[in-house]
Amino acid sequence: MQLLPHRFRIAVFLLALTAVSVAGADRDSHPLDPLTKDEILASVETLRGAGKTTLESSYSLVTLYEPPKTEVLRWVPGEFFRRESFVVVYERAKNQTFEAVVDLRARTVLSWKQIPGVQPSFLLEDAEILNRAVRADPRFADAMKKRGITDLGKVEIGDWPGGYYGDAKTQSIRFRRAEFFYHDADNSSDRAIENINAEVDLSTGKVIRFQDDGPVAIPAVGVGLDAIHVQQFREAPKPLVIEQPQGPSFTVHGHEVRWQNWRFRFSMHGREGLVLYTVGYEDGGKVRSILYRGSCSEMVVPYGDPSAGWFFKNAFDAGEDSFGRYAAPLEPQKDYPANAVTFDAVLASERGDWFQIPRAVALYERDGGLLWKHDDLGRNRNDSRRARELVLSWIATVGNYDYGFNWVFHQDGTLEMEVLLTGYMETKAVNLSKVADAHNHSGDLRYGHLVAPNVLAVHHQHFFNFRLDLDIDGVNNSVMEMNTRPVPPNESNPHRNAFTMDETVFHNEQEAERQMSLADSRRWTIFNPDVKDSLGYSVGYTLLPGENSVPYADPESWVRKRASFVNAAFWATPFDPTQLYAAGFYVNQSHGEDGLQRWVEAKRPIDNQDLVIWYTMGITHIPRPEEYPVMTVHKAGFKLVPNGFFDHNPAIDLP
């Protein structure tokens, strides 16, 4: 098999797994269980048998077509439930995209329709077509010759999503862009060959644009991740042993987990990665609903360099590349502790087969530090409780970056999302070995920072959007914003120390498009107006933001139009099962015609409705030399904390 471009090397591993057999597993059948390998094959065979697809068809997505929410909530074990799959098909020869719904019990096609003017997400064949097309173009060899490279086998051709930037030439074709690296070491990520830009029509297999703006020095051998293998290692710390001699405190039944009053389900999705379902908390013998469905709906990584080889680097890792397919096989006692239980993932390949990702998800308990404490010195009595946390974890490796996602369940009813950013930075070759060489006027240094001689890491941002279908003690909820403000000096505030918290309930989805406000300690509470706690408050959960950032791309830039979810940190929309992804369903080469900003134009009511909350988290990455050649983990996230959901501290009963 031909080596795939550096951005998608892991895809080689995934394709190799298509021949691996999956051992049968006992599981409690549930309407939200992910598709089995047999169901994936049945989906494709049914479409072929009906004459809808052929052996040449590509399958961008084959996943569970989730039953209606009302049916799932009414369902009880042992009852019949519908079992259907949703399939996205791409016909390359005609550059056409189709959607299908297949009844897996009757083996019939329930729905088949063409979706005009869209491109499904990345297919492995796209990278192979691009590689062949560029190597066959004589301008490629000429450009390498100008740089003193005659062995073209040492040139690695990576690929990047084409995006859309108002260019009529690429408006109606499927295309991707090439990037180039000199490859004579284990890792070529920072031996970039700059100033060459190529675009390939993936239907014709031809280069439609080739631009060479002149040579730039290629970074020297020995920099980057290669250095890890030659450095002298420090003395290892003494072993740290994690043991649970009586086994874990959680139980797993199929895809359902029970731990410390928590109840939830999970599944791996080819596009979204890990999806949480039906999260509830047992209180007084009753499981109270909190979250029906939660996932990372979209993410985008806009780079801040305006040059010809960088302006288009705005990767939508979920919508353009389906990062669920790039779940990393986790390594024991490295990616997860020794006490973890792991789960394999079965996903569909683009050829209509299936592949297995071993150890795609890890579930484990960890020490959570001090949970609560009071030391009563007068009575010589100390009451303390040590926290335990349950972590459900997966990692997506998409090219140079590795993204970890941890759903963390706390004993006090808090549900937390931790995002872990690591891997290595996307770097640029420059004619600078030291900052002093720039004479304080280098255009390169405006848009990045040197991390090694001739290696510049470009400024960029990471935006994650999480779709949270919250059902706080029932389906119909409302949302309020909480702002804390100082009280002006007056007769009632003579000492000028007073402050108050104002609550604003939103009535339509446009009102709920909100920004962060550090000055107001802004946060948002989703509550059930029809259910009260013992004090008379409506039961609710509050979203506590963590690190966040505003976008720096201009509001009229194409990346802002396409990733409209970055325009606000908080959104609330009425539940719509077709609105799953913050930038729309078909993100690859989209023009920004779909997604949150368009949806909220309808001004639909959201007061006492079945609500979906969307939280956008931004991380601005200004690179440091200490993050090179590989980044230590940068952790960000948010929390959903109970607010009036319980009558008192729910962790007070810990022994």
Side-chain angles (χ1 to χ4, degrees), residues 23-76:
D26 294 329
R27 47 197 256 154
D28 299 338
S29 184
H30 188 276
L32 295 175
D33 283 344
L35 297 184
T36 66
K37 65 179 187 296
D38 291 336
E39 289 175 324
I40 292 171
L41 295 176
S43 301
V44 174
E45 291 168 359
T46 300
L47 289 172
R48 287 176 180 165
K52 302 299 184 183
T53 63
T54 69
L55 293 176
E56 301 302 316
S57 302
S58 298
Y59 300 86
S60 173
L61 182 66
V62 183
T63 192
L64 175 69
Y65 190 60
E66 295 177 15
K69 182 176 179 179
T70 52
E71 290 185 13
V72 175
L73 294 177
R74 286 198 308 263
W75 179 81
V76 294

Side-chain angles (χ1 to χ4, degrees), residues 164-173 175 208-209 558 591:
Y164 181 73
Y165 300 91
D167 186 354
K169 188 175 184 179
T170 60
Q171 186 167 351
S172 60
I173 66 171
F175 83 108
I208 57 175
R209 181 179 284 118
W558 277 107
H591 300 177

Side-chain angles (χ1 to χ4, degrees), residues 212-441:
D212 184 356
D213 293 328
V216 176
I218 300 174
V221 175
V223 298
L225 286 175
D226 305 321
I228 292 176
H229 304 295
V230 297
Q231 66 179 327
Q232 183 175 355
F233 294 104
R234 70 175 71 179
E235 180 181 354
K238 300 295 190 297
L240 177 64
V241 179
I242 300 173
E243 292 184 342
Q244 288 188 288
Q246 298 179 21
S249 303
F250 57 81
T251 59
V252 181
H253 303 278
H255 286 80
E256 183 190 46
V257 179
R258 300 184 179 188
W259 177 83
Q260 290 286 291
N261 298 332
W262 286 101
R263 305 284 187 271
F264 63 90
R265 307 189 67 82
F266 70 93
S267 174
M268 280 297 290
H269 190 283
R271 173 169 175 160
E272 300 165 80
L274 187 66
V275 180
L276 276 187
Y277 292 108
T278 60
V279 178
Y281 194 93
E282 186 174 341
D283 181 29
K286 173 187 176 184
V287 177
R288 302 171 65 190
S289 62
I290 297 171
L291 176 74
Y292 179 75
R293 191 184 196 277
S295 70
C296 180
S297 84
E298 190 55 82
M299 62 171 293
V300 65
V301 188
Y303 283 79
D305 188 325
S307 64
W310 282 81
F311 77 90
F312 57 83
K313 292 193 173 182
N314 303 297
F316 292 75
D317 286 339
E320 286 180 332
D321 295 327
S322 293
F323 71 169
R325 297 181 297 177
Y326 302 102
L330 303 177
E331 289 197 34
Q333 301 190 54
K334 295 180 181 180
D335 298 320
Y336 57 83
N339 63 323
V341 172
T342 61
F343 305 89
D344 300 343
V346 174
L347 299 173
S349 77
E350 65 189 60
R351 301 316 307 166
D353 206 338
W354 59 272
F355 62 89
Q356 178 180 335
I357 304 175
R359 305 177 309 280
V361 178
L363 179 68
Y364 56 91
E365 295 172 275
R366 71 183 183 191
D367 179 79
L370 188 64
L371 179 61
W372 59 262
K373 173 185 176 68
H374 180 64
D375 197 342
D376 191 335
L377 299 178
R379 300 170 61 189
N380 193 29
R381 173 179 172 177
N382 174 48
D383 279 313
S384 295
R385 298 294 187 272
R386 193 77 182 171
R388 185 80 62 85
E389 297 170 355
L390 182 68
V391 182
L392 186 67
S393 176
W394 78 289
I395 298 174
T397 299
V398 189
N400 55 300
Y401 260 101
D402 300 78
Y403 298 103
F405 297 88
N406 293 341
W407 285 106
V408 185
F409 297 82
H410 296 259
Q411 290 167 305
D412 66 351
T414 294
L415 177 58
E416 180 179 7
M417 164 50 64
E418 292 180 341
V419 178
L420 315 176
L421 294 86
T422 183
Y424 57 91
M425 295 178 288
E426 189 82 9
T427 57
K428 177 179 182 179
V430 293
N431 290 321
L432 292 171
S433 59
K434 294 182 178 180
V435 176
D437 299 337
H439 304 294
N440 299 321
H441 293 291

Side-chain angles (χ1 to χ4, degrees), residues 189-210:
S189 66
D190 51 10
R191 305 205 69 203
I193 304 172
E194 293 291 342
N195 282 1
I196 304 174
N197 303 292
E199 299 171 11
V200 174
D201 184 328
L202 298 172
S203 295
T204 65
K206 301 295 183 183
V207 176
I208 57 175
R209 181 179 284 118
F210 194 98

